[in-house]
Amino acid sequence: MDPTISVSKGCFVYKNGATRANKKTPSKRKRTEATSSLLGKEITTQPFYAAYTECWNQLHSHIVQLQMASNARTLEQLVEFVTGEGASNMDNTEMLPTAALLTGINQPDHLKQFETLTQRLHAEQAARVCVLQSRDCATLKAAVECMVYSLMDDQSELVDLEDADDERERDRKRLRRTQCTMKQLSAWYANNFGDVDKRRALVIILPDFECFNASVLQDFILILSAQTGRLPFVLVLGVATAMTAVHGTLPYHVSSKIKLRVFQTQPAPTGLNELLDQVLLSPKYAFHLSGKAFKFLTHIFLYYDFSIHGFIQGFKYCLMEHYFAGNAYALCTSYSQALGRIKQLTHDDMETIRRLPSFRPYVEQINDCKRIIAVLTDDDYLKKKLPQLLRDCLLHFMLFRCCLEFFTELVGDLPRCPLGKLRRELYVNCLNKPIQEQPEYKECWQMLSFMSKEEFVAKLAKCIDRTEQFLGEQIAPLELGEACADVMRAELQSLKKLLNDVELATMELPTPAIESTASTDARTLTDLKQVASRHELKAQLLQRSKQDKQQSTSEFARALNNILSHIETHLVLAHLRPLQHAPPLHELYVFSDISTVRRNIIGAPRAALHTALNNPHFYMQCKCCELQEQSQLVSTMPDLSVLYKLHLECGRMINLFDWLQAFRSVLRAGDDQEEVPQEQIDPQIQARFTRAVAELQFLGYIKMSKRKTDHATRLTW
């Protein structure tokens, strides 16, 4: 037997006299691996991959800038506290400077925040930083050793390895965990930062404060506070819940040794709203999410994890699924770049465009039969039509975004917020179905009609100003921004005129003359005498009541109805249309495959395990495991799959010997060997059976029975 073959997987080292590689080699290898892609050149050279990479790089840089700007104030205050307290900490021999950073309950994002803080301190060369995880500090000894080793082994303060002294490098590598004590740390700090000019704070970050053992944490803080006279320690606590957790964990004899200051980070929902409004709903990007996909991602954030990082990764998956559907989706970019990529489209790409759901209504509205045939068969003719179709789509989404800004300002602060008060809520409502058919829309319009003259004029003026500001800042710099701005400015100008009529309108009711009233009543009675049926009488009475109501309304009410009907007709119905009423080829710009996202983002471990064990070909895609039907058993399947399918045929109690015989019969089904008696079992088959049973028990499908030693109990049904 080969000495490197083992039942358990392991790593075998042979000391053949090889020396350590050059110091520059690992760094070069890391840089090369970081830039390499898992995809082959046949994918990375395609137009859709270039469009995806460009779009994601723009979105990612925008997201990073937004997050840095939102956390800049808290980060600045925290850095000032660390550097200031670290410089004056040597004078105070009793109190340990401590910063409690309230990070919120989005646990997956905490390490990213503290990583940004660490990078900032390293860039300013203001402190040495150590990040302690609760999983590495189960005991007090482990916490101290991990802290000392991390502070002394921090490579951020070292010069480049090419210029570093070899002797200093060897001394640093000789450090062991057992030698990491507070005495060793004091001697190291005195040798490296003993001078006043070189003095730097020692920052200890605990990102998951609530997960630490209370007794270990208390003793650790007492040790740090006892060393503050010699070492400038600064403690940073990442608190996910509230300050009551700190007060409940640290008793008085510990809390009296720290000088605590609280810092508050931006709440996760606020950060998400900024991300959605300024990045995902920004008109500068051609890619959009459908209402259902948008709502799905936001619901995962709000009801599951509160993780902005998780939301960004989910959005990135949607972006990747959209572009990787084919080169036709490479047109989802700016207008000028899309015009250049139209020439690169092949016949298959044109067929992909023809199969889009919105392409059929576009063909059906063409009246000329020759043009219909050309659009369906001639690729060159369709390529000539694509620029105008793409331009219409881009303008539609720009106008949609402008009207959404106006509509959000109009109905976002109404009582009870029937349509929602956030821009993302209105975005979902407008894209999913016609908004004028929703009862919440009618309720909003009724509230607007009941508003006083001063409130309505102020609200509408604010809506117009906000939309004009949005046009100047967000729309005008874009490629097709001027065309969009011309359409919106014309609509806003009409609104200003109607708003002026509302301001000049009076609230007084008209006072008709008595003679005219009498003559009208006489004419009405004459008309009613000529009625032939009850239905005609009912219709005439309704018409008369409407006329009387219009005559009895004030001038302000008529002007208010005019401006509301203008907003509904020229803004809401014209531009805030759902996806089913969007221009042709809008699928190139909108991702709406919500089933794929749900299947891949929200995992179903039970279903995935059952599929993998019942039909391994589904994941491995190997020809040897391909099944004609689900209940089939093939000897080439993995042992675990064979045993799993056999256990599905058993009841609650499984006889191990019968199970082994069935397992052996399946494995020998494809062999032409002679029949072997049941008592004689191949040791190799028995070993494979034992390992598969252990794996099945580890997965939780069976357990060994205590009532019968030769039986196993099935745990799933």
Side-chain angles (χ1 to χ4, degrees):
M1 184 176 179
D2 196 333
T4 59
I5 295 178
S6 173
V7 176
S8 61
K9 296 180 180 180
C11 180
F12 301 89
V13 181
Y14 295 93
K15 297 183 179 180
N16 53 2
T19 57
R20 189 174 57 152
N22 191 10
K23 297 177 184 178
K24 295 173 62 177
T25 305
S27 59
K28 282 188 176 181
R29 187 181 298 116
K30 289 181 181 179
R31 285 193 292 267
T32 304
E33 292 176 356
T35 56
S36 63
S37 175
L38 296 175
L39 304 175
K41 290 185 178 180
E42 65 276 4
I43 299 296
T44 56
T45 56
Q46 296 294 329
F48 74 85
Y49 186 80
Y52 159 74
T53 305
E54 180 185 3
C55 182
W56 171 246
N57 290 338
Q58 293 177 356
L59 285 165
H60 183 64
S61 61
H62 196 174
I63 291 171
V64 171
Q65 292 177 2
L66 180 64
Q67 290 180 339
M68 290 179 63
S70 61
N71 297 328
R73 183 177 179 182
T74 304
L75 186 62
E76 288 289 341
Q77 295 177 353
L78 193 57
V79 170
E80 290 179 2
F81 173 80
V82 169
T83 54
E85 293 296 334
S88 60
N89 193 23
M90 300 289 285
D91 301 332
N92 190 350
T93 59
E94 296 180 358
M95 306 295 289
L96 173 65
T98 305
L101 183 62
L102 298 178
T103 55
I105 60 175
N106 51 336
Q107 289 282 354
D109 296 342
H110 289 181
L111 290 179
K112 188 65 177 178
Q113 297 178 7
F114 290 111
E115 182 181 350
T116 304
L117 173 63
T118 304
Q119 293 175 356
R120 177 68 178 275
L121 293 174
H122 285 168
E124 297 182 1
Q125 295 185 355
R128 305 273 292 192
V129 184
C130 167
V131 180
L132 295 181
Q133 300 273 356
S134 59
R135 62 174 180 266
D136 301 328
C137 304
T139 61
L140 180 62
K141 180 182 178 182
V144 173
E145 289 179 352
C146 187
M147 177 196 68
V148 175
Y149 184 83
S150 180
L151 289 174
M152 297 177 63
D153 196 56
D154 191 358
Q155 300 183 14
S156 62
E157 297 290 341
L158 297 176
V159 294
D160 191 54
L161 291 178
E162 297 180 8
D163 303 328
D165 185 54
D166 293 340
E167 184 176 352
R168 180 183 177 185
E169 178 71 13
R170 286 195 298 269
D171 292 340
R172 192 177 66 83
K173 290 297 182 182
R174 290 174 185 171
L175 184 65
R176 297 180 180 178
R177 286 297 181 96
T178 55
Q179 300 173 347
C180 296
T181 59
M182 296 302 296
K183 183 179 179 181
Q184 186 78 15
L185 181 63
S186 300
W188 168 84
Y189 188 85
N191 293 333
N192 293 273
F193 307 103
D195 299 339
V196 178
D197 298 336
K198 296 183 179 180
R199 184 177 299 171
R200 295 176 186 176
L202 302 178
V203 182
I204 315 299
I205 298 178
L206 309 181
D208 47 353
F209 170 79
E210 287 89 348
C211 298
F212 274 82
N213 190 339
S215 60
V216 172
L217 187 62
Q218 295 170 14
D219 295 339
F220 183 72
I221 292 177
L222 290 176
I223 290 175
L224 293 182
S225 62
Q227 298 290 332
T228 52
R230 292 176 292 176
L231 297 172
F233 284 118
V234 178
L235 188 62
V236 179
L237 307 177
V239 183
T241 53
M243 285 305 298
T244 54
V246 179
H247 300 310
T249 305
L250 304 180
Y252 175 75
H253 72 278
V254 178
S255 60
S256 61
K257 299 293 184 180
I258 63 175
K259 183 169 60 175
L260 186 63
R261 182 176 174 182
V262 182
F263 297 88
Q264 177 72 52
T265 59
Q266 186 184 49
T270 305
L272 177 70
N273 293 332
E274 288 185 358
L275 176 67
L276 297 178
D277 294 343
Q278 301 185 27
V279 182
L280 269 65
L281 297 180
S282 176
K284 68 169 63 175
Y285 304 111
F287 176 76
H288 303 278
L289 288 175
S290 67
K292 292 182 179 179
F294 196 91
K295 187 177 181 180
F296 174 73
L297 292 180
T298 53
H299 277 197
I300 291 178
F301 173 86
L302 295 173
Y303 299 118
Y304 285 91
D305 53 6
F306 266 5
S307 173
I308 296 179
H309 177 72
F311 181 88
I312 295 172
Q313 294 304 314
F315 174 76
K316 184 179 180 181
Y317 179 81
C318 296
L319 186 73
M320 184 171 56
E321 282 286 335
H322 179 76
Y323 279 101
F324 276 60
N327 285 329
Y329 292 87
L331 301 177
C332 180
T333 181
S334 62
Y335 184 62
S336 59
Q337 290 182 342
L339 294 180
R341 287 172 179 165
I342 290 177
K343 302 177 182 179
Q344 304 176 7
L345 297 178
T346 62
H347 175 71
D348 294 337
D349 300 332
M350 302 305 294
E351 288 298 322
T352 301
I353 293 176
R354 292 188 179 101
R355 286 193 293 268
L356 295 176
S358 62
F359 188 78
R360 181 175 179 177
Y362 166 71
V363 176
E364 291 175 349
Q365 70 181 1
I366 301 177
N367 298 325
D368 191 1
C369 295
K370 294 182 179 179
R371 291 174 55 197
I372 293 176
I373 296 174
V375 167
L376 294 176
T377 58
D378 191 356
D379 294 342
D380 295 333
Y381 182 81
L382 182 57
K383 287 182 180 180
K384 294 179 181 179
K385 294 292 182 180
L386 281 180
Q388 184 61 37
L389 294 175
L390 298 181
R391 187 177 186 274
D392 293 342
C393 285
L394 291 172
L395 280 178
H396 167 74
F397 288 114
M398 286 185 183
L399 292 170
F400 180 92
R401 184 64 182 85
C402 294
C403 294
L404 182 66
E405 196 73 20
F406 179 90
F407 197 61
T408 304
E409 199 70 35
L410 182 66
V411 303
D413 56 350
L414 292 177
R416 299 191 305 274
C417 302
L419 286 171
K421 63 179 180 179
L422 299 176
R423 195 171 288 104
R424 58 178 173 83
E425 297 174 342
L426 292 172
Y427 177 83
V428 171
N429 288 329
C430 293
L431 279 187
N432 282 343
K433 57 183 179 180
I435 193 169
Q436 68 275 9
E437 298 178 1
Q438 303 179 23
E440 294 84 3
Y441 171 80
K442 299 178 182 179
E443 184 179 353
C444 289
W445 236 239
Q446 190 176 16
M447 291 181 183
L448 291 173
S449 62
F450 289 162
M451 294 180 68
S452 64
K453 181 179 179 179
E454 292 77 10
E455 290 178 347
F456 183 81
V457 170
K459 173 181 279 295
L460 203 58
K462 187 178 179 182
C463 295
I464 295 174
D465 294 341
R466 178 71 188 113
T467 308
E468 289 179 343
Q469 181 184 0
F470 182 79
L471 286 173
E473 295 178 357
Q474 301 289 335
I475 299 296
L478 301 179
E479 191 172 0
L480 298 177
E482 289 299 328
C484 176
D486 293 340
V487 176
M488 284 303 300
R489 288 194 181 104
E491 298 294 341
L492 295 178
Q493 196 65 28
S494 302
L495 280 178
K496 287 182 180 179
K497 293 180 181 179
L498 293 174
L499 184 61
N500 189 31
D501 296 340
V502 173
E503 289 184 283
L504 298 177
T506 60
M507 303 291 293
E508 298 178 358
L509 295 175
T511 55
I514 301 176
E515 293 80 6
S516 61
T517 305
S519 61
T520 302
D521 294 341
R523 187 172 61 253
T524 302
L525 292 175
T526 304
D527 294 339
L528 292 178
K529 290 179 181 179
Q530 300 176 358
V531 173
S533 64
R534 290 185 178 181
H535 295 289
E536 293 182 4
L537 176 63
K538 182 179 180 181
Q540 288 192 12
L541 289 175
L542 287 174
Q543 185 178 2
R544 297 297 180 185
S545 64
K546 290 180 180 179
Q547 292 178 358
D548 295 341
K549 186 176 181 181
Q550 291 178 357
Q551 293 176 359
S552 62
T553 56
S554 63
E555 185 180 356
F556 167 73
R558 291 195 295 271
L560 182 62
N561 291 331
N562 290 336
I563 194 170
L564 287 177
S565 61
H566 185 275
I567 293 173
E568 183 177 13
T569 305
H570 294 81
L571 294 181
V572 178
L573 299 180
H575 302 302
L576 292 179
R577 292 176 291 173
L579 282 182
Q580 55 264 31
H581 299 154
L585 309 188
H586 66 269
E587 291 89 354
L588 296 176
Y589 299 93
V590 182
F591 177 80
S592 57
D593 191 3
I594 185 63
S595 59
T596 303
V597 180
R598 182 183 289 108
R599 183 172 62 252
N600 290 280
I601 290 183
I602 298 182
R606 292 185 180 180
L609 279 173
H610 174 76
T611 304
L613 297 176
N614 194 51
N615 185 15
H617 175 73
F618 182 83
Y619 288 106
M620 296 192 297
Q621 297 297 319
C622 56
K623 295 182 179 180
C624 61
C625 297
E626 192 171 359
L627 304 178
Q628 300 298 329
E629 55 183 16
Q630 293 293 329
S631 59
Q632 186 179 0
L633 275 170
V634 183
S635 60
T636 55
M637 294 172 60
D639 296 342
L640 180 61
S641 298
V642 174
L643 214 63
Y644 175 79
K645 300 191 74 170
L646 289 174
H647 113 284
L648 292 178
E649 302 174 359
C650 302
R652 183 173 179 272
M653 303 295 292
I654 306 174
N655 190 303
L656 293 177
F657 183 77
D658 296 341
W659 204 6
L660 174 59
Q661 294 296 337
F663 178 74
R664 185 182 67 161
S665 63
V666 171
L667 295 186
R668 292 189 174 275
D671 301 339
D672 297 333
Q673 300 178 5
E674 297 180 358
E675 190 67 24
V676 181
Q678 293 186 358
E679 291 78 7
Q680 299 179 7
I681 300 177
D682 188 358
Q684 186 177 4
I685 294 179
Q686 187 173 0
R688 291 168 61 182
F689 173 79
T690 305
R691 183 177 63 180
V693 169
E695 292 174 351
L696 206 61
Q697 184 178 1
F698 176 75
L699 291 174
Y701 287 100
I702 62 171
K703 72 173 182 178
M704 293 299 108
S705 175
K706 295 181 179 180
R707 296 172 55 188
K708 298 182 179 180
T709 56
D710 58 343
H711 282 68
T713 305
R714 181 177 171 184
L715 300 178
T716 57
W717 295 90

